[in-house]
Amino acid sequence: MSHPLRHLPLRVWLVVPFVVQITAAVTVTGWLTLRHGEQAVNQVAGQLRTAVSQQIEQELNAFLTTPHLINQLNDDAIQLGQVDPDDPEALFRHFLQQSQRFPTVDSIFFGHVNQEFIGQSNLGPGQHQRMQGGPSLGDAVQFSTVDDNGEIQTIQQTTPGWDTQTLPWYLAAVRQGGAVWGEVFPYHAYPVLALPTSRPVYDAEGDLLGVLGNNFFLSQISDFLATISISEHGQAFILDRKGFIVASSTLPDPFVVVEDRPQRLYSVTSQDPLIRASSQFLLRQYNGYLADALAPQQFEFQWDGQRQFLEVMPFREQAGLDWLIVVVVPERDFMATIEASRRYTLLFCLVAFAVALGLGLLTSHWIAQPIYRMRRAAQAIAQGELHQHLPPCRLNELEQLVLAFNTMAYRVATTVQDLQRSKADLEAANVEIQQQSACFRLMAENMTDLVCLQTLGGQFLYVSPSVEWILGYQPSELVGTCLCDWVHPADAPTCYHSGQRQVLAGDSTKTAYRMRHKLGHYIWIETLTRPILNDLGEVIQLQTASRDVTETMRMRKQLQHDALHDSLTGLPNRKLLQDRLDVALHRARRHEHYRFAVLFLDVDRFKVVNDSLGHLIGDELLIEIASRLRSVARPADLAARLGGDEFILLMDDVADLTEVIGLAEKVLATLRDPLHLSSQEVFATVSVGIVMGDATYADASELLRDADIAMYRAKHKGRDGYEVFNSAMHAQAITRLQLETELRRSLLEHPEEFILHYQPIVDLATAAVQGFETLVRWQHPQRGLVPPNDFIPLAEETGLIVPLSYHLMETACRQLRTWQDHYPQAQSLTISVNLAAMQLHSPSLLAQIDAILTHTGLNPQSLVLEITESMLIDDIQATLTVLHALRQRSIALSIDDFGTGYSSLSYLYQFPINHLKIDRTFVSQMQTSPHHYKIVETIITLAHQLGFTAIAEGIETEADRHILQQLTCDLGQGYWFGKPQPAAAIDAWLSQTLGQICLGAVYNV
């Protein structure tokens, strides 16, 4: 007996479940919507509270940044010298400009450490107030109205008993040592609460100058809160940790006025009932301690018969502010939408049921009709009528079913034809495989690469014929053996493990290893391994392609060696040296007792060898030095070439400094022996700087820097020696670098700092002043008057002596021309200026001197250029050409410090010299040393014999003058006649002699 439901029409089965499902889905959706409506209210309220709190927090940060910025700008203005903190007028006008630029800040002020106070306050649009107090006003504070230009109009009030240093904002800033917020206080001008911020101001030495500050009115925050869109009845307010109201969206003035002064309100006693209820709730939540509110938190509480959503968010500012942002939203602002949603949901359910019933009937008709046609066609096929074709259907799923039915009938008829065609295709494929096999065999027998087929264990299954000319074996000798049997023992791990995981995973890999040739040697082979997969994607065999890369590997190793070694000497280069130094430093940090040393070697006078014997001989010299360094270095040491003529010897694991010095002395002794080069025997020495390495060094560059400093100290002490680095050397190097920097800056930006002093040159026979020698002094802004011995050598070494000398020459020429224009007795005076060696050999010397004489208008006969003996022996012919050109211009020439240099008497008579100056070291010892007396006498005689004027330097006593006069010395200079004086003193002397003493009067300043 069949079940009654089995006979129901298909249309019923389609309509009823569809209508039931739609109705159930709509009903459940409506129920869930109503069920979760309240949760949605909570979520929306939470999101609104959070968004409002974050907006308030961002705006507070913007409000509170400006007061700190103003203090920072004013501090910068004081530090940069734009405003003088001791000038109240300048401070007030600066504050007035700041108030116009930052209208949100209501007053700006400064309290000096001397208790003086100056400030500015805004009283309204275009109205400003000046505040000043302190000892200058009898310890009172005065409030005055001013116009837009800062001029006082009326004095409003004067209050006695003012002490700047006792005010809370001043004390807080000094105690904090930085920017700090003060306590909220009632403002003096009108009822409003103000929040002060202040910061101390220090001078360059760290001493306190005073305290900058400004006031910010809290009413601005309340105005901002009132503009925030929260909800219809929602509000926001800000509390401090004591419970006082800072600002409120509903209370424009969150304070009460008592006796014309505002007093702060506790939130729990606020006249706003919602603020009062919210604050009481928060106190209960935090057990009366609002300081425990450390993170944002959301709450709900009942008030006025409905739920209230509350969020409290801490607000902290780095300068000391600690407030709470509170946002309260009533539930009623959201429930109206929920009630309307309930009504709409019920109506929607009814409409959905009606629509579902109509759609179900229509759908059942669309679906059932094609199925009925397919049933009739299937019955026809069952009766043997195979050629059936159903019409298209408008429903996609049924259309696919119709297409499948039509295809089935067609494929039954064509199955035999497909099988026959497949047999023909298979026979053609077999022929193609045979042809490809023949082609592969032809390629394998004639290709240069070694192609092999291996098992997963590395056993050769096939080896191409090219193995014979690559490795010397016949293919049969390798088939059946394992690859690793032919690989070099050192490369066995590469054979077994390299790339095995990738190959087994189906990826190709490339490796390089050495294989044994049949003749017994090994060659480098580079192999590309590819996996062979079966139909399941599993690796079943390995196919390799190999080639001989022996020459490539040799070149690669050579490149690696060249990258770390010097191409000329073969020594390790700077890169390898730095790597070894880094290893030594790392070891020193790990092992407390480990020590190492760095020896920095520089070949003495190497440039002379290059310039005289040529660069090829210079290269041979460097190679020989490198060889000798290798011979004296210990096995663990590293000899390296740093570059040029600089070498490094890294001593590893040394016991103490004595061991290092012993090796340094051994290096020096070895290099003192003559070096036999191609066609020359050369003697070369080195200067050695030693530094002991330890864990205090941060990197290799610091080691090389200190060793370089010690090496230059050894050079300055005479070369061919060593110096051990100490911290004083580094300090001296820093000082020298600083002095060089200041020298460059002064010469470029402030050449007026270099002043000239003038020392008279006197005729010893008549005691008349014949001229002046210029002596430079550096009037340094911090160091004071710097003598020439402290900066002239540095200027010569750095090349700054050239621009400095030209500047001084022009200054001296201009000064003498000025004296000659103002004082008739100065017409025949001369000015002696020192000429630097770099100037003498400069091609632009003559042009520069001509330009100076033209610009200053000085007669060339009034100029005397002083040169030293050592300047004359370098390139004598070129020097003679320059000196003759100077004499042709009527410029006098003088040899300075004669007898202390390396002059050649055979050339002396050739030079167009006018004067010989006897060095002070001979003059000062004439009375005590017969030898010095004879030297002075000889120089004077020599000068007269050659037609030169003899000038004695360093005359300091009457006895010196008397002896020189007896020796018929022509001119003299020294402290006995007068010390070097600035131009102003010479002006005074010349003005005194005017009309009193004729030209040639004795100089006496």
Side-chain angles (χ1 to χ4, degrees):
M1 182 177 180
S2 61
H3 198 279
L5 296 179
R6 294 180 60 185
H7 300 288
L8 290 176
L10 177 61
R11 185 171 299 175
V12 175
W13 284 106
L14 292 175
V15 172
V16 173
F18 177 76
V19 173
V20 171
Q21 291 173 9
I22 295 296
T23 304
V26 172
T27 303
V28 172
T29 301
W31 180 82
L32 290 176
T33 301
L34 298 177
R35 177 67 178 83
H36 295 289
E38 186 173 342
Q39 295 180 3
V41 171
N42 294 340
Q43 293 177 358
V44 172
Q47 294 172 357
L48 177 62
R49 285 175 289 172
T50 301
V52 172
S53 299
Q54 292 176 351
Q55 181 182 359
I56 295 174
E57 181 182 29
Q58 293 175 0
E59 191 65 25
L60 279 179
N61 283 323
F63 272 123
L64 300 178
T65 298
T66 301
H68 288 315
L69 174 61
I70 293 176
N71 287 343
Q72 179 64 56
L73 292 175
N74 292 335
D75 189 2
D76 292 343
I78 293 175
Q79 299 298 335
L80 295 174
Q82 298 174 354
V83 181
D84 185 0
D86 297 323
D87 186 353
E89 291 299 328
L91 282 171
F92 175 73
R93 296 186 184 281
H94 180 73
F95 292 161
L96 186 61
Q97 294 175 357
Q98 291 283 51
S99 68
Q100 296 170 354
R101 182 180 175 187
F102 300 99
T104 59
V105 174
D106 299 283
S107 61
I108 308 174
F109 45 85
F110 176 71
H112 202 286
V113 72
N114 61 9
Q115 297 189 3
E116 290 294 336
F117 172 81
I118 187 67
Q120 180 275 340
S121 179
N122 292 330
L123 299 179
Q127 300 181 13
H128 305 282
Q129 184 183 66
R130 176 188 175 114
M131 304 178 291
Q132 185 173 3
S136 61
L137 295 179
D139 292 329
V141 62
Q142 187 178 81
F143 300 92
S144 309
T145 59
V146 297
D147 58 18
D148 291 339
N149 297 321
E151 300 297 332
I152 297 178
Q153 294 179 326
T154 59
I155 298 176
Q156 296 176 310
Q157 178 183 354
T158 301
T159 303
W162 178 269
D163 187 353
T164 303
Q165 295 184 356
T166 62
L167 297 177
W169 55 268
Y170 187 98
L171 293 173
V174 173
R175 188 183 309 112
Q176 181 70 18
V180 65
W181 291 100
E183 295 290 339
V184 177
F185 69 97
Y187 198 61
H188 68 277
Y190 38 82
V192 67
L193 293 179
L195 177 64
T197 177
S198 56
R199 66 175 294 148
V201 182
Y202 300 96
D203 60 15
E205 288 74 24
D207 297 330
L208 181 67
L209 294 178
V211 175
L212 285 166
N214 60 77
N215 291 326
F216 171 75
F217 289 171
L218 295 180
S219 59
Q220 298 184 52
I221 302 179
S222 295
D223 295 341
F224 157 70
L225 293 179
T227 63
I228 296 178
S229 176
I230 304 174
S231 67
E232 183 178 356
H233 302 92
Q235 59 177 278
F237 56 93
I238 301 174
L239 307 176
D240 62 14
R241 295 292 182 163
K242 297 178 181 178
F244 286 108
I245 299 177
V246 176
S248 170
S249 62
T250 57
L251 298 176
D253 298 319
F255 54 84
V256 295
V257 179
V258 179
E259 298 180 357
D260 296 330
R261 291 180 62 84
Q263 292 187 359
R264 302 185 66 185
L265 283 175
Y266 277 105
S267 57
V268 295
T269 60
S270 171
Q271 60 268 37
D272 188 299
L274 185 54
I275 294 179
R276 185 169 60 250
S278 302
S279 301
Q280 292 172 354
F281 173 77
L282 287 176
L283 285 174
R284 289 194 300 270
Q285 290 296 317
Y286 293 107
N287 298 320
Y289 294 98
L290 295 179
D292 292 342
L294 302 178
Q297 194 167 357
Q298 295 185 349
F299 300 99
E300 298 179 9
F301 68 95
Q302 291 290 332
W303 178 76
D304 196 20
Q306 61 178 320
R307 225 172 17 150
Q308 306 290 328
F309 299 101
L310 179 145
E311 175 163 329
V312 59
M313 173 184 288
F315 175 79
R316 293 184 178 87
E317 200 267 346
Q318 61 181 2
L321 284 185
D322 192 3
W323 292 346
L324 294 177
I325 300 172
V326 183
V327 178
V328 185
V329 181
E331 183 183 34
R332 61 179 175 175
D333 291 349
F334 303 96
M335 288 309 297
T337 303
I338 299 301
E339 293 296 334
S341 176
R342 290 176 180 175
R343 293 190 297 270
Y344 293 146
T345 299
L346 182 58
L347 178 61
F348 174 73
C349 290
L350 295 176
V351 173
F353 177 79
V355 171
L357 182 60
L359 289 177
L361 294 174
L362 180 61
T363 301
S364 64
H365 175 74
W366 286 350
I367 296 175
Q369 189 66 29
I371 292 176
Y372 292 153
R373 289 197 296 265
M374 192 178 302
R375 183 185 62 181
R376 292 193 294 268
Q379 292 173 351
I381 291 174
Q383 297 174 2
E385 300 177 8
L386 300 179
H387 297 285
Q388 297 293 325
H389 185 78
L390 298 179
C393 181
R394 286 176 293 177
L395 294 178
N396 184 52
E397 289 79 2
L398 293 177
E399 176 67 18
Q400 296 299 322
L401 185 58
V402 168
L403 291 176
F405 181 87
N406 293 337
T407 303
M408 178 184 66
Y410 173 77
R411 287 184 176 178
V412 170
T414 59
T415 298
V416 176
Q417 296 177 358
D418 291 342
L419 290 175
Q420 293 175 349
R421 190 180 300 109
S422 297
K423 180 180 179 181
D425 293 342
L426 181 59
E427 292 175 350
N430 289 333
V431 173
E432 184 178 358
I433 290 174
Q434 293 175 0
Q435 294 175 349
Q436 292 178 353
S437 177
C439 291
F440 174 76
R441 185 179 300 105
L442 181 63
M443 293 172 56
E445 291 174 352
N446 293 277
M447 68 188 312
T448 57
D449 288 353
L450 173 61
V451 179
C452 302
L453 186 65
Q454 303 173 21
T455 65
L456 296 182
Q459 186 177 11
F460 289 111
L461 300 177
Y462 169 79
V463 178
S464 65
S466 56
V467 68
E468 182 175 359
W469 66 269
I470 293 179
L471 293 172
Y473 300 104
Q474 293 296 324
S476 58
E477 295 181 74
L478 269 65
V479 173
T481 64
C482 185
L483 170 65
C484 297
D485 296 339
W486 308 93
V487 173
H488 192 283
D491 298 335
T494 302
C495 171
Y496 284 108
H497 304 294
S498 179
Q500 184 178 15
R501 181 176 302 175
Q502 292 89 333
V503 172
L504 294 180
D507 299 328
S508 299
T509 61
K510 182 181 291 186
T511 55
Y513 44 80
R514 287 164 290 180
M515 287 189 71
R516 185 173 69 251
H517 195 276
K518 191 170 185 178
L519 298 178
H521 62 278
Y522 285 88
I523 64 172
W524 278 98
I525 296 294
E526 183 181 69
T527 299
L528 176 65
T529 303
R530 295 185 179 90
I532 298 177
L533 310 178
N534 60 13
D535 295 339
L536 300 178
E538 300 172 341
V539 180
I540 56 174
Q541 290 177 341
L542 303 177
Q543 182 264 318
T544 61
S546 306
R547 63 179 59 186
D548 185 356
V549 292
T550 303
E551 183 61 22
T552 302
M553 297 299 291
R554 186 195 64 78
M555 294 177 61
R556 182 181 302 172
K557 290 185 178 181
Q558 183 63 42
L559 289 174
Q560 292 173 349
H561 179 273
D562 293 344
L564 298 176
H565 291 78
D566 177 47
S567 59
L568 177 64
T569 63
L571 292 178
N573 60 10
R574 180 188 293 267
K575 177 65 171 63
L576 182 55
L577 172 65
Q578 288 182 336
D579 292 343
R580 283 289 302 273
L581 287 175
D582 291 339
V583 171
L585 286 172
H586 181 67
R587 185 178 176 187
R589 296 186 187 103
R590 290 187 293 110
H591 302 286
E592 180 179 357
H593 301 292
Y594 170 75
R595 299 291 300 277
F596 64 96
V598 176
L599 280 66
F600 197 116
L601 292 78
D602 185 88
V603 182
D604 298 328
R605 299 178 64 83
F606 179 71
K607 186 176 184 299
V608 175
V609 176
N610 263 350
D611 294 344
S612 59
L613 302 179
H615 289 278
L616 292 179
I617 298 297
D619 289 346
E620 289 186 36
L621 174 62
L622 295 177
I623 294 172
E624 181 61 24
I625 291 175
S627 176
R628 296 192 180 187
L629 280 180
R630 289 193 192 96
S631 66
V632 299
R634 305 175 305 170
D637 297 340
L638 176 72
R641 184 188 179 198
L642 199 59
D645 60 342
E646 295 176 339
F647 296 86
I648 296 292
L649 190 59
L650 171 60
M651 296 183 63
D652 189 44
D653 198 8
V654 297
D656 51 28
L657 181 60
T658 303
E659 182 181 359
V660 179
I661 292 176
L663 183 61
E665 292 175 343
K666 188 176 179 181
V667 169
L668 293 171
T670 301
L671 295 177
R672 289 190 187 107
D673 295 335
L675 303 172
H676 300 283
L677 306 180
S678 296
S679 58
Q680 299 286 337
E681 183 180 66
V682 178
F683 289 87
T685 61
V686 295
S687 298
V688 183
I690 302 174
V691 61
M692 296 298 294
D694 53 40
T696 59
Y697 283 95
D699 52 37
S701 62
E702 293 185 1
L703 282 165
L704 296 178
R705 176 201 64 197
D706 292 348
D708 188 35
I709 292 173
M711 181 272 294
Y712 274 105
R713 179 62 61 88
K715 277 191 178 295
H716 291 161
K717 287 191 174 182
R719 301 184 176 90
D720 192 20
Y722 66 86
E723 280 292 321
V724 181
F725 175 80
N726 55 56
S727 57
M729 291 183 183
H730 188 205
Q732 292 173 1
I734 295 299
T735 302
R736 179 182 177 86
L737 178 61
Q738 183 179 1
L739 184 62
E740 178 185 345
T741 302
E742 294 173 353
L743 181 63
R744 290 182 184 274
R745 184 182 297 112
S746 296
L747 187 57
L748 293 175
E749 301 176 4
H750 305 286
E752 69 277 1
E753 294 180 2
F754 299 97
I755 59 176
L756 288 176
H757 285 195
Y758 303 85
Q759 187 174 35
I761 300 175
V762 180
D763 189 326
L764 295 180
T766 64
V769 176
Q770 300 298 316
F772 297 96
E773 180 183 2
T774 57
L775 302 171
V776 64
R777 303 290 188 269
W778 183 7
Q779 188 64 51
H780 195 281
Q782 285 82 35
R783 302 173 186 263
L785 196 63
V786 182
N789 290 340
D790 290 352
F791 67 90
I792 290 298
L794 180 60
E796 292 175 341
E797 181 179 339
T798 58
L800 296 175
I801 191 66
V802 174
L804 176 61
S805 296
Y806 284 132
H807 168 71
L808 298 177
M809 183 185 298
E810 183 173 357
T811 302
C813 292
R814 182 177 289 106
Q815 183 61 64
L816 181 57
R817 176 63 183 177
T818 301
W819 288 334
Q820 291 176 345
D821 290 343
H822 288 80
Y823 308 108
Q825 66 270 36
Q827 294 299 320
S828 61
L829 292 180
T830 62
I831 196 76
S832 298
V833 180
N834 287 298
L835 197 64
M838 297 180 66
Q839 286 179 285
L840 183 62
H841 301 102
S842 172
S844 63
L845 172 65
L846 298 175
Q848 290 280 3
I849 293 177
D850 291 342
I852 290 174
L853 293 174
T854 301
H855 292 163
T856 60
L858 183 68
N859 190 329
Q861 294 179 351
S862 300
L863 178 62
V864 180
L865 297 180
E866 296 189 358
I867 57 179
T868 61
E869 296 175 84
S870 58
M871 294 165 57
L872 300 175
I873 63 174
D874 291 336
D875 198 353
I876 293 177
Q877 293 303 321
T879 302
L880 279 170
T881 301
V882 175
L883 295 182
H884 280 295
L886 292 172
R887 290 297 299 124
Q888 290 173 1
R889 289 166 169 77
S890 301
I891 299 174
L893 300 174
S894 176
I895 297 182
D896 195 14
D897 301 333
F898 185 78
T900 62
Y902 301 97
S903 64
S904 173
L905 295 179
S906 63
Y907 287 102
L908 185 60
Y909 75 92
Q910 301 182 36
F911 295 118
I913 302 299
N914 301 90
H915 313 291
L916 284 183
K917 300 191 74 172
I918 307 171
D919 188 69
R920 66 181 65 250
T921 57
F922 303 128
V923 175
S924 63
Q925 301 184 56
M926 289 188 306
Q927 303 179 50
T928 59
S929 172
H931 296 289
H932 287 80
Y933 179 86
K934 286 294 183 181
I935 291 174
V936 173
E937 183 181 18
T938 301
I939 295 175
I940 295 173
T941 303
L942 175 64
H944 290 163
Q945 290 293 331
L946 296 177
F948 303 155
T949 300
I951 304 176
E953 296 181 308
I955 302 175
E956 298 187 356
T957 64
E958 170 61 24
D960 292 340
R961 186 201 64 78
H962 181 69
I963 293 172
L964 291 167
Q965 192 174 19
Q966 288 181 336
L967 294 175
T968 67
C969 184
D970 301 298
L971 304 175
Q973 63 184 92
Y975 282 11
W976 175 253
F977 300 107
K979 296 181 179 180
Q981 298 287 341
I986 306 300
D987 267 323
W989 173 71
L990 288 173
S991 63
Q992 291 173 4
T993 62
L994 181 62
Q996 300 176 9
I997 304 176
C998 65
L999 181 63
V1002 177
Y1003 172 83
N1004 185 17
V1005 179

